[in-house]
Amino acid sequence: MAEKEFMTYRGLPLVRKGNEIYYGNMSDETVATLQILSTRKVKDLEVADKVRVFLTLTQTEGVDASEWIKKRCERNGLYEALDVAYIWLSRDKQNA
């Protein structure tokens, strides 16, 4: 059976489950979680309106739960949210 390919944005994988999108490589120290808070109708399509972005640790064993989320913000629209997530992930990888 062929390996399933994930959709990507700027070279990083995107995985959606319900109203949450996980962005980044799970093998890295951090991954972004995008939580769609509300949507709006554009013609016949539902698009993300308000999106909450979290930069979270991928390995949480031995880490206090209060430190699992490194950053958080809210943005208008999926594109803005993905842009912030990409910047956070890029900077976090540079500082590792």
Side-chain angles (χ1 to χ4, degrees):
M1 184 157 92
E3 188 174 313
K4 185 176 181 180
E5 298 234 355
F6 292 109
M7 183 182 302
T8 63
Y9 176 73
R10 293 188 175 188
L12 295 173
L14 287 164
V15 178
R16 182 176 180 171
K17 181 179 180 190
N19 282 341
E20 289 191 345
I21 299 171
Y22 301 95
Y23 178 52
N25 293 308
M26 290 304 287
S27 60
D28 291 342
E29 183 180 328
T30 56
V31 67
T33 303
L34 289 79
Q35 189 178 56
I36 300 169
L37 302 175
S38 66
T39 60
R40 62 184 166 89
K41 198 99 160 149
V42 176
K43 296 188 181 183
D44 292 335
L45 189 64
E46 287 285 325
V47 296
D49 188 33
K50 293 277 185 194
V51 182
R52 186 174 294 144
V53 184
F54 300 97
L55 183 66
T56 58
L57 296 175
T58 54
Q59 301 297 320
T60 58
E61 188 174 317
V63 179
D64 187 42
S66 65
E67 297 176 16
W68 290 0
I69 297 174
K70 295 178 73 174
K71 294 181 181 183
R72 72 181 82 209
C73 72
E74 280 188 23
R75 290 293 181 260
N76 295 319
L78 186 58
Y79 178 77
E80 284 185 33
L82 280 170
D83 216 27
V84 167
Y86 176 76
I87 291 167
W88 285 353
L89 291 169
S90 297
R91 287 180 182 168
D92 202 56
K93 198 168 196 169
Q94 289 175 352
N95 295 331

Coordinates of all heavy atoms in Angstrom, one line a residue:
M1 N 0.8 -1.2 0.0 CA 0.0 0.0 0.0 C 0.9 1.2 0.0 O 1.9 1.3 0.7 CB -0.9 0.0 1.2 CG -1.9 1.1 1.3 SD -3.3 0.8 2.3 CE -2.8 1.4 3.8
A2 N 0.5 2.2 -0.8 CA 1.3 3.5 -0.9 C 1.2 4.3 0.3 O 0.1 4.3 1.0 CB 0.9 4.3 -2.1
E3 N 2.3 5.0 0.7 CA 2.3 5.9 1.8 C 1.4 7.1 1.5 O 1.5 7.7 0.5 CB 3.7 6.3 2.2 CG 3.8 7.1 3.5 CD 5.3 7.3 3.8 OE1 6.1 6.4 3.7 OE2 5.6 8.5 4.2
K4 N 0.6 7.5 2.5 CA -0.3 8.6 2.3 C 0.5 9.9 2.4 O 1.2 10.1 3.4 CB -1.4 8.6 3.3 CG -2.5 9.7 3.1 CD -3.6 9.5 4.1 CE -4.7 10.6 3.9 NZ -5.8 10.4 4.8
E5 N 0.3 10.9 1.5 CA 1.0 12.1 1.5 C 0.1 13.2 2.2 O -1.1 13.2 1.9 CB 1.4 12.6 0.1 CG 2.3 11.6 -0.6 CD 3.5 12.3 -1.1 OE1 3.6 13.5 -1.0 OE2 4.4 11.6 -1.5
F6 N 0.6 14.0 3.0 CA -0.1 15.1 3.6 C -0.1 16.3 2.8 O 0.9 16.6 2.1 CB 0.5 15.4 5.0 CG 0.3 14.3 6.0 CD1 1.4 13.6 6.4 CD2 -0.9 14.0 6.6 CE1 1.3 12.6 7.4 CE2 -1.0 13.1 7.5 CZ 0.1 12.3 7.9
M7 N -1.1 17.1 2.9 CA -1.1 18.5 2.3 C -0.1 19.3 3.0 O 0.1 19.1 4.2 CB -2.5 19.1 2.5 CG -2.6 20.4 1.8 SD -4.2 21.2 2.0 CE -5.3 20.0 1.4
T8 N 0.6 20.2 2.3 CA 1.6 21.0 3.0 C 1.4 22.5 2.7 O 0.7 22.8 1.8 CB 3.0 20.6 2.4 OG1 3.1 20.9 1.0 CG2 3.4 19.2 2.7
Y9 N 2.0 23.3 3.6 CA 2.0 24.7 3.4 C 3.4 25.2 3.7 O 3.9 24.9 4.8 CB 1.0 25.4 4.3 CG 1.0 26.9 4.3 CD1 0.5 27.6 3.2 CD2 1.6 27.7 5.3 CE1 0.5 29.0 3.1 CE2 1.6 29.1 5.3 CZ 1.1 29.7 4.2 OH 1.1 31.1 4.1
R10 N 4.1 25.8 2.8 CA 5.5 26.2 2.9 C 6.4 25.0 3.3 O 7.3 25.2 4.2 CB 5.6 27.4 3.9 CG 5.0 28.6 3.3 CD 5.3 29.8 4.2 NE 4.8 31.0 3.7 CZ 5.1 32.2 4.2 NH1 5.8 32.3 5.2 NH2 4.6 33.3 3.6
G11 N 6.1 23.9 2.8 CA 6.9 22.7 3.0 C 6.7 21.9 4.3 O 7.4 21.0 4.6
L12 N 5.7 22.4 5.1 CA 5.4 21.7 6.4 C 4.0 21.0 6.2 O 3.1 21.6 5.7 CB 5.4 22.7 7.5 CG 6.8 23.3 7.9 CD1 6.6 24.4 8.9 CD2 7.8 22.2 8.3
P13 N 3.9 19.8 6.8 CA 2.6 19.1 6.7 C 1.4 19.7 7.5 O 1.6 20.3 8.5 CB 2.9 17.7 7.3 CG 4.1 17.9 8.0 CD 4.9 19.1 7.5
L14 N 0.2 19.6 6.9 CA -1.0 20.0 7.5 C -1.9 18.8 7.7 O -2.1 18.1 6.8 CB -1.7 21.0 6.6 CG -1.2 22.4 6.5 CD1 -1.8 23.1 5.2 CD2 -1.5 23.2 7.7
V15 N -2.4 18.7 8.9 CA -3.4 17.6 9.2 C -4.6 18.2 9.9 O -4.4 18.8 10.9 CB -2.7 16.5 10.1 CG1 -3.7 15.4 10.4 CG2 -1.5 15.9 9.4
R16 N -5.8 17.9 9.3 CA -7.0 18.5 9.9 C -7.8 17.4 10.6 O -8.0 16.3 10.0 CB -7.8 19.1 8.8 CG -9.1 19.8 9.4 CD -9.9 20.5 8.4 NE -11.1 21.1 9.1 CZ -11.9 21.9 8.5 NH1 -11.7 22.3 7.3 NH2 -12.9 22.4 9.1
K17 N -8.3 17.7 11.8 CA -9.3 16.8 12.4 C -10.3 17.7 13.0 O -10.1 18.5 14.0 CB -8.6 16.0 13.6 CG -9.5 15.1 14.3 CD -8.8 14.3 15.4 CE -9.9 13.4 16.0 NZ -9.4 12.8 17.2
G18 N -11.5 17.7 12.4 CA -12.6 18.5 12.8 C -12.3 20.0 12.6 O -11.9 20.4 11.6
N19 N -12.3 20.8 13.7 CA -12.0 22.2 13.7 C -10.6 22.5 14.1 O -10.3 23.7 14.4 CB -13.0 23.0 14.5 CG -14.3 23.2 13.8 OD1 -14.4 23.0 12.6 ND2 -15.4 23.5 14.5
E20 N -9.7 21.5 14.1 CA -8.3 21.7 14.5 C -7.4 21.3 13.3 O -7.7 20.3 12.6 CB -8.0 20.9 15.7 CG -8.6 21.5 17.0 CD -8.0 20.9 18.3 OE1 -7.3 19.9 18.2 OE2 -8.3 21.5 19.3
I21 N -6.4 22.1 13.1 CA -5.4 21.8 12.1 C -4.1 21.7 12.8 O -3.7 22.7 13.6 CB -5.4 22.9 11.0 CG1 -6.7 23.0 10.3 CG2 -4.3 22.6 10.0 CD1 -6.9 24.2 9.4
Y22 N -3.3 20.7 12.6 CA -2.0 20.5 13.1 C -1.0 20.8 12.0 O -1.1 20.3 10.9 CB -1.8 19.1 13.7 CG -2.8 18.8 14.8 CD1 -4.0 18.1 14.5 CD2 -2.6 19.2 16.1 CE1 -5.0 17.9 15.4 CE2 -3.6 19.0 17.0 CZ -4.8 18.3 16.7 OH -5.7 18.1 17.7
Y23 N 0.0 21.7 12.3 CA 0.9 22.2 11.3 C 2.3 22.0 11.8 O 2.7 22.5 12.8 CB 0.6 23.6 11.0 CG 1.4 24.3 10.0 CD1 1.7 23.8 8.8 CD2 2.0 25.5 10.3 CE1 2.5 24.4 7.8 CE2 2.8 26.2 9.4 CZ 3.0 25.6 8.2 OH 3.8 26.3 7.2
G24 N 3.1 21.3 11.0 CA 4.5 21.1 11.3 C 4.8 19.6 11.4 O 4.0 18.7 11.2
N25 N 6.1 19.3 11.7 CA 6.6 18.0 11.8 C 6.5 17.5 13.3 O 7.1 18.2 14.1 CB 8.0 17.9 11.3 CG 8.1 18.1 9.8 OD1 7.4 17.5 9.0 ND2 9.0 19.0 9.4
M26 N 5.9 16.4 13.5 CA 5.8 15.9 14.9 C 7.2 15.5 15.4 O 7.4 15.3 16.6 CB 4.8 14.7 14.9 CG 3.4 15.1 14.8 SD 2.8 16.4 15.9 CE 2.7 15.4 17.4
S27 N 8.2 15.3 14.5 CA 9.5 14.9 15.0 C 10.3 16.2 15.5 O 11.4 16.0 16.1 CB 10.3 14.3 13.8 OG 10.4 15.1 12.7
D28 N 9.8 17.4 15.2 CA 10.4 18.6 15.7 C 10.0 18.8 17.2 O 9.1 18.2 17.7 CB 10.0 19.8 14.9 CG 10.6 19.7 13.5 OD1 11.6 19.0 13.2 OD2 10.1 20.4 12.6
E29 N 10.7 19.8 17.8 CA 10.4 20.1 19.2 C 9.0 20.7 19.4 O 8.3 20.5 20.4 CB 11.4 21.1 19.8 CG 11.3 21.4 21.2 CD 12.3 22.4 21.7 OE1 13.4 22.3 21.2 OE2 12.0 23.1 22.6
T30 N 8.5 21.5 18.4 CA 7.2 22.1 18.5 C 6.4 21.9 17.2 O 6.9 21.6 16.2 CB 7.4 23.6 18.7 OG1 8.1 24.2 17.7 CG2 8.0 23.9 20.1
V31 N 5.1 22.0 17.4 CA 4.1 22.0 16.3 C 3.1 23.1 16.6 O 2.9 23.4 17.7 CB 3.5 20.6 16.2 CG1 2.6 20.3 17.4 CG2 2.8 20.4 14.9
A32 N 2.5 23.6 15.5 CA 1.4 24.6 15.7 C 0.0 23.9 15.6 O -0.2 23.0 14.8 CB 1.5 25.6 14.6
T33 N -0.8 24.3 16.5 CA -2.2 23.8 16.5 C -3.1 25.0 16.2 O -3.0 26.0 16.9 CB -2.6 23.2 17.8 OG1 -1.7 22.1 18.2 CG2 -4.1 22.7 17.8
L34 N -3.9 24.9 15.1 CA -4.8 26.0 14.7 C -6.2 25.5 15.0 O -6.7 24.5 14.5 CB -4.6 26.3 13.3 CG -3.3 27.0 12.9 CD1 -2.2 26.0 12.7 CD2 -3.5 27.7 11.6
Q35 N -6.9 26.3 15.8 CA -8.3 26.0 16.3 C -9.2 26.9 15.6 O -9.2 28.1 15.9 CB -8.3 26.1 17.8 CG -9.5 25.6 18.4 CD -9.4 25.7 19.9 OE1 -9.2 26.8 20.4 NE2 -9.6 24.6 20.6
I36 N -10.1 26.4 14.7 CA -11.0 27.3 14.0 C -12.2 27.6 15.0 O -12.9 26.7 15.4 CB -11.5 26.6 12.7 CG1 -10.4 26.3 11.8 CG2 -12.6 27.4 12.1 CD1 -10.7 25.4 10.6
L37 N -12.3 28.8 15.3 CA -13.3 29.3 16.3 C -14.7 29.6 15.6 O -15.7 29.4 16.2 CB -12.8 30.5 17.1 CG -11.5 30.2 17.9 CD1 -11.1 31.5 18.5 CD2 -11.7 29.2 18.9
S38 N -14.6 30.2 14.4 CA -15.8 30.5 13.7 C -15.5 30.5 12.2 O -14.4 30.6 11.8 CB -16.3 31.9 14.2 OG -15.4 32.9 13.8
T39 N -16.6 30.4 11.5 CA -16.5 30.4 10.0 C -17.6 31.3 9.5 O -18.5 31.8 10.2 CB -16.8 29.0 9.4 OG1 -18.1 28.6 9.8 CG2 -15.8 27.9 9.9
R40 N -17.4 31.7 8.2 CA -18.3 32.5 7.5 C -18.5 32.0 6.1 O -17.7 31.2 5.6 CB -17.9 34.0 7.5 CG -16.6 34.2 6.7 CD -16.2 35.7 6.8 NE -14.9 35.9 6.4 CZ -14.5 36.1 5.1 NH1 -15.4 36.2 4.2 NH2 -13.2 36.3 4.9
K41 N -19.7 32.3 5.5 CA -20.0 31.8 4.2 C -19.5 32.8 3.1 O -19.8 34.0 3.2 CB -21.6 31.7 4.1 CG -22.0 30.8 3.0 CD -22.4 29.5 3.6 CE -23.3 28.7 2.7 NZ -23.1 27.3 2.7
V42 N -18.8 32.2 2.2 CA -18.3 33.0 1.0 C -18.9 32.2 -0.2 O -18.4 31.1 -0.5 CB -16.8 33.1 0.9 CG1 -16.4 33.8 -0.3 CG2 -16.3 33.9 2.2
K43 N -19.9 32.8 -0.8 CA -20.6 32.1 -1.9 C -21.1 30.8 -1.3 O -21.9 30.8 -0.4 CB -19.8 31.9 -3.2 CG -19.4 33.3 -3.8 CD -18.8 33.1 -5.1 CE -18.4 34.5 -5.6 NZ -17.9 34.5 -6.9
D44 N -20.7 29.6 -1.8 CA -21.2 28.3 -1.3 C -20.2 27.6 -0.4 O -20.3 26.5 -0.1 CB -21.5 27.4 -2.5 CG -22.7 27.9 -3.3 OD1 -23.6 28.6 -2.7 OD2 -22.8 27.5 -4.5
L45 N -19.2 28.4 0.0 CA -18.0 27.8 0.7 C -18.0 28.3 2.2 O -18.0 29.5 2.4 CB -16.8 28.0 0.0 CG -15.5 27.4 0.4 CD1 -15.6 25.8 0.3 CD2 -14.3 27.9 -0.4
E46 N -17.8 27.4 3.1 CA -17.5 27.9 4.5 C -16.0 28.1 4.7 O -15.2 27.2 4.4 CB -17.9 26.8 5.5 CG -19.4 26.6 5.7 CD -20.0 27.7 6.5 OE1 -19.4 28.2 7.5 OE2 -21.2 28.1 6.2
V47 N -15.6 29.3 5.1 CA -14.2 29.6 5.3 C -14.0 30.0 6.8 O -14.8 30.6 7.4 CB -13.7 30.7 4.3 CG1 -13.8 30.2 2.9 CG2 -14.5 32.0 4.5
A48 N -12.8 29.7 7.2 CA -12.4 30.1 8.6 C -12.4 31.6 8.8 O -11.8 32.3 7.9 CB -11.0 29.5 8.9
D49 N -13.0 32.1 9.8 CA -13.1 33.5 10.1 C -12.2 33.8 11.3 O -11.2 34.6 11.1 CB -14.5 33.8 10.5 CG -14.8 35.3 10.6 OD1 -14.1 36.1 9.9 OD2 -15.6 35.7 11.4
K50 N -12.4 33.3 12.4 CA -11.5 33.5 13.6 C -10.8 32.2 13.9 O -11.3 31.1 13.9 CB -12.4 33.8 14.8 CG -13.0 35.1 14.8 CD -12.1 36.2 15.2 CE -12.9 37.5 15.2 NZ -12.0 38.6 15.3
V51 N -9.4 32.3 14.1 CA -8.6 31.1 14.3 C -7.7 31.4 15.5 O -7.0 32.5 15.5 CB -7.8 30.8 13.0 CG1 -6.9 29.5 13.3 CG2 -8.7 30.6 11.8
R52 N -7.6 30.5 16.4 CA -6.7 30.6 17.5 C -5.5 29.7 17.2 O -5.6 28.6 16.7 CB -7.3 30.1 18.8 CG -6.5 30.3 20.0 CD -7.2 29.9 21.3 NE -8.3 30.9 21.5 CZ -9.5 30.6 22.0 NH1 -9.8 29.4 22.4 NH2 -10.4 31.5 22.2
V53 N -4.3 30.2 17.4 CA -3.0 29.6 17.1 C -2.3 29.3 18.4 O -2.1 30.2 19.2 CB -2.1 30.4 16.2 CG1 -0.9 29.6 15.7 CG2 -2.9 30.9 15.0
F54 N -1.8 28.0 18.5 CA -0.9 27.6 19.6 C 0.4 27.1 19.1 O 0.4 26.3 18.2 CB -1.6 26.5 20.5 CG -2.9 26.9 21.1 CD1 -4.1 26.5 20.4 CD2 -3.0 27.5 22.3 CE1 -5.3 26.8 21.0 CE2 -4.3 27.8 22.8 CZ -5.4 27.5 22.2
L55 N 1.5 27.4 19.8 CA 2.7 26.7 19.5 C 2.9 25.8 20.7 O 3.1 26.2 21.8 CB 3.9 27.7 19.4 CG 5.2 27.1 19.1 CD1 5.2 26.5 17.6 CD2 6.3 28.2 19.2
T56 N 2.9 24.5 20.4 CA 2.9 23.5 21.5 C 4.1 22.6 21.4 O 4.6 22.3 20.3 CB 1.6 22.7 21.6 OG1 1.5 22.0 20.3 CG2 0.4 23.5 21.8
L57 N 4.5 22.0 22.5 CA 5.6 21.0 22.5 C 5.1 19.7 22.0 O 3.9 19.3 22.2 CB 6.1 20.8 24.0 CG 6.8 22.0 24.6 CD1 7.1 21.7 26.1 CD2 8.0 22.4 23.9
T58 N 5.9 19.0 21.3 CA 5.5 17.6 20.8 C 5.9 16.6 21.8 O 5.2 15.5 21.9 CB 6.2 17.3 19.5 OG1 7.6 17.5 19.6 CG2 5.7 18.2 18.3
Q59 N 6.9 16.8 22.6 CA 7.3 15.8 23.6 C 7.0 16.4 25.0 O 7.7 17.4 25.4 CB 8.8 15.5 23.5 CG 9.2 14.9 22.2 CD 8.5 13.5 22.0 OE1 8.3 12.7 22.9 NE2 8.0 13.3 20.7
T60 N 6.0 15.9 25.7 CA 5.5 16.6 26.9 C 5.9 15.7 28.2 O 5.6 16.2 29.3 CB 4.0 16.8 26.9 OG1 3.3 15.6 26.7 CG2 3.6 17.8 25.8
E61 N 6.5 14.6 28.0 CA 6.8 13.7 29.1 C 7.9 14.4 30.0 O 8.9 14.9 29.5 CB 7.4 12.4 28.6 CG 7.6 11.4 29.7 CD 8.0 10.0 29.2 OE1 7.4 9.6 28.2 OE2 8.9 9.5 29.8
G62 N 7.5 14.5 31.3 CA 8.4 15.2 32.2 C 8.4 16.7 32.2 O 9.1 17.3 32.9
V63 N 7.5 17.3 31.4 CA 7.3 18.7 31.4 C 6.0 19.1 32.0 O 5.0 18.5 31.8 CB 7.3 19.2 29.9 CG1 7.1 20.7 29.8 CG2 8.6 18.8 29.2
D64 N 6.1 20.1 32.9 CA 4.9 20.6 33.6 C 3.8 21.0 32.5 O 4.1 21.7 31.5 CB 5.2 21.7 34.5 CG 4.1 22.2 35.3 OD1 3.4 21.3 35.9 OD2 3.9 23.4 35.5
A65 N 2.6 20.7 32.8 CA 1.5 21.0 31.8 C 1.4 22.4 31.5 O 1.0 22.8 30.4 CB 0.2 20.4 32.3
S66 N 1.7 23.3 32.4 CA 1.6 24.7 32.2 C 2.7 25.2 31.2 O 2.6 26.3 30.7 CB 1.8 25.5 33.5 OG 3.1 25.3 34.0
E67 N 3.6 24.4 30.8 CA 4.7 24.7 29.9 C 4.5 24.1 28.5 O 5.3 24.3 27.6 CB 6.1 24.4 30.4 CG 6.4 25.1 31.7 CD 7.7 24.7 32.3 OE1 8.5 24.0 31.6 OE2 7.9 25.0 33.5
W68 N 3.4 23.3 28.3 CA 3.2 22.6 27.0 C 2.9 23.6 25.9 O 3.3 23.4 24.8 CB 2.0 21.7 27.1 CG 2.3 20.5 27.9 CD1 3.4 20.2 28.6 CD2 1.4 19.4 28.2 NE1 3.3 19.0 29.3 CE2 2.0 18.5 29.1 CE3 0.0 19.2 27.9 CZ2 1.4 17.3 29.5 CZ3 -0.6 18.0 28.3 CH2 0.1 17.1 29.2
I69 N 2.3 24.7 26.2 CA 2.0 25.8 25.2 C 3.0 26.9 25.4 O 3.1 27.5 26.4 CB 0.5 26.3 25.4 CG1 -0.5 25.2 25.1 CG2 0.3 27.5 24.4 CD1 -1.9 25.6 25.4
K70 N 3.8 27.1 24.3 CA 4.8 28.1 24.3 C 4.3 29.5 23.9 O 4.8 30.5 24.5 CB 6.0 27.7 23.4 CG 6.7 26.5 23.9 CD 7.8 26.1 23.0 CE 9.0 27.0 23.2 NZ 10.2 26.6 22.4
K71 N 3.4 29.6 23.0 CA 2.8 30.8 22.5 C 1.4 30.6 22.1 O 1.0 29.5 21.7 CB 3.6 31.3 21.3 CG 5.0 31.7 21.5 CD 5.7 32.3 20.3 CE 7.1 32.6 20.6 NZ 7.7 33.2 19.4
R72 N 0.6 31.7 22.1 CA -0.8 31.6 21.6 C -1.2 33.0 21.1 O -0.7 34.0 21.6 CB -1.7 31.1 22.7 CG -2.0 32.1 23.8 CD -2.9 31.6 24.8 NE -2.1 30.8 25.8 CZ -2.5 29.8 26.5 NH1 -3.8 29.4 26.4 NH2 -1.8 29.1 27.2
C73 N -2.1 33.0 20.1 CA -2.7 34.2 19.6 C -4.0 33.9 18.8 O -4.3 32.7 18.6 CB -1.7 35.0 18.7 SG -1.5 34.2 17.1
E74 N -4.7 34.9 18.4 CA -5.9 34.8 17.6 C -5.7 35.6 16.3 O -5.2 36.7 16.4 CB -7.2 35.2 18.3 CG -7.7 34.1 19.2 CD -9.1 34.5 19.8 OE1 -9.8 35.2 19.2 OE2 -9.4 33.9 20.9
R75 N -6.2 35.1 15.2 CA -6.1 35.8 13.9 C -7.4 35.7 13.2 O -8.2 34.8 13.4 CB -4.9 35.2 13.1 CG -3.5 35.5 13.6 CD -3.3 37.0 13.5 NE -1.9 37.4 14.0 CZ -1.7 37.9 15.2 NH1 -2.6 38.0 16.1 NH2 -0.4 38.2 15.5
N76 N -7.6 36.7 12.3 CA -8.7 36.7 11.4 C -8.4 35.9 10.1 O -7.5 36.4 9.4 CB -9.2 38.1 11.1 CG -9.7 38.8 12.3 OD1 -10.4 38.3 13.1 ND2 -9.3 40.1 12.4
G77 N -8.9 34.8 9.9 CA -8.7 34.0 8.7 C -7.6 33.0 8.8 O -6.6 33.2 9.6
L78 N -7.7 32.0 8.0 CA -6.8 30.9 8.1 C -5.4 31.3 7.5 O -4.4 30.8 8.1 CB -7.3 29.7 7.3 CG -6.5 28.4 7.3 CD1 -6.4 27.9 8.7 CD2 -7.2 27.3 6.5
Y79 N -5.3 32.1 6.5 CA -4.1 32.5 5.9 C -3.2 33.2 7.0 O -2.0 32.9 7.2 CB -4.2 33.4 4.7 CG -2.9 33.8 4.1 CD1 -2.1 32.9 3.4 CD2 -2.4 35.1 4.4 CE1 -0.9 33.3 2.9 CE2 -1.2 35.5 3.9 CZ -0.4 34.6 3.2 OH 0.8 35.0 2.7
E80 N -3.8 34.2 7.7 CA -3.0 34.9 8.7 C -2.6 34.0 9.8 O -1.4 34.1 10.3 CB -3.9 36.0 9.3 CG -4.1 37.2 8.4 CD -4.8 38.4 9.1 OE1 -4.7 38.5 10.4 OE2 -5.6 39.1 8.4
A81 N -3.4 33.1 10.2 CA -3.1 32.1 11.3 C -1.9 31.2 10.8 O -1.0 31.0 11.6 CB -4.3 31.3 11.6
L82 N -2.0 30.7 9.6 CA -0.9 29.9 9.1 C 0.4 30.6 9.0 O 1.5 30.1 9.2 CB -1.3 29.3 7.7 CG -2.2 28.1 7.8 CD1 -2.7 27.7 6.4 CD2 -1.5 26.9 8.4
D83 N 0.3 31.9 8.6 CA 1.5 32.7 8.4 C 2.2 32.9 9.8 O 3.4 32.8 9.9 CB 1.1 34.1 7.9 CG 2.2 34.6 6.9 OD1 2.9 33.9 6.3 OD2 2.2 35.9 6.8
V84 N 1.4 33.2 10.8 CA 2.0 33.3 12.2 C 2.6 32.0 12.6 O 3.7 32.0 13.2 CB 0.9 33.8 13.2 CG1 1.4 33.6 14.6 CG2 0.5 35.2 12.9
A85 N 1.9 30.9 12.4 CA 2.4 29.6 12.8 C 3.7 29.3 12.1 O 4.6 28.7 12.7 CB 1.3 28.5 12.5
Y86 N 3.8 29.6 10.8 CA 5.0 29.3 10.1 C 6.2 30.1 10.6 O 7.3 29.6 10.8 CB 4.8 29.7 8.6 CG 6.1 29.5 7.8 CD1 6.5 28.2 7.4 CD2 6.8 30.6 7.4 CE1 7.7 28.1 6.7 CE2 8.0 30.4 6.7 CZ 8.4 29.2 6.3 OH 9.6 29.0 5.6
I87 N 6.0 31.4 10.9 CA 7.0 32.2 11.5 C 7.5 31.6 12.9 O 8.7 31.5 13.1 CB 6.5 33.7 11.7 CG1 6.4 34.3 10.3 CG2 7.5 34.5 12.5 CD1 5.6 35.6 10.2
W88 N 6.5 31.3 13.7 CA 6.9 30.7 15.0 C 7.7 29.4 14.9 O 8.7 29.3 15.6 CB 5.6 30.4 15.8 CG 4.9 31.6 16.4 CD1 5.4 32.9 16.4 CD2 3.7 31.7 17.1 NE1 4.5 33.7 17.1 CE2 3.4 33.0 17.5 CE3 2.7 30.7 17.4 CZ2 2.3 33.4 18.2 CZ3 1.6 31.1 18.1 CH2 1.4 32.4 18.5
L89 N 7.2 28.6 14.0 CA 7.9 27.3 13.8 C 9.3 27.5 13.3 O 10.3 26.8 13.7 CB 7.1 26.3 12.9 CG 5.8 25.8 13.5 CD1 5.0 25.1 12.4 CD2 6.1 24.8 14.6
S90 N 9.5 28.4 12.3 CA 10.8 28.7 11.8 C 11.7 29.3 12.8 O 12.9 28.9 12.9 CB 10.6 29.7 10.6 OG 9.9 29.2 9.6
R91 N 11.3 30.2 13.6 CA 12.1 30.8 14.6 C 12.5 29.8 15.7 O 13.6 29.8 16.2 CB 11.4 32.0 15.3 CG 11.3 33.2 14.4 CD 10.6 34.3 15.1 NE 10.5 35.5 14.2 CZ 9.8 36.5 14.5 NH1 9.0 36.6 15.6 NH2 9.7 37.5 13.6
D92 N 11.5 29.0 16.1 CA 11.7 27.9 17.1 C 12.8 26.9 16.6 O 13.6 26.5 17.4 CB 10.4 27.2 17.4 CG 10.5 26.6 18.8 OD1 10.8 27.3 19.8 OD2 10.3 25.4 18.9
K93 N 12.7 26.6 15.3 CA 13.7 25.7 14.8 C 15.1 26.3 14.8 O 16.1 25.6 15.0 CB 13.3 25.2 13.4 CG 13.9 24.0 12.9 CD 13.2 23.4 11.7 CE 13.6 22.0 11.5 NZ 12.9 21.3 10.5
Q94 N 15.2 27.6 14.4 CA 16.5 28.3 14.4 C 17.1 28.3 15.8 O 18.3 28.3 16.0 CB 16.3 29.7 13.9 CG 16.0 29.7 12.4 CD 15.8 31.2 11.9 OE1 15.7 32.1 12.7 NE2 15.6 31.3 10.6
N95 N 16.3 28.5 16.8 CA 16.8 28.6 18.2 C 17.0 27.3 18.9 O 17.5 27.3 20.0 CB 15.8 29.4 19.0 CG 15.7 30.8 18.6 OD1 16.6 31.4 18.0 ND2 14.5 31.5 18.8
A96 N 16.7 26.2 18.2 CA 16.9 24.9 18.8 C 18.4 24.5 18.9 O 19.2 24.9 18.2 CB 16.1 23.8 18.1

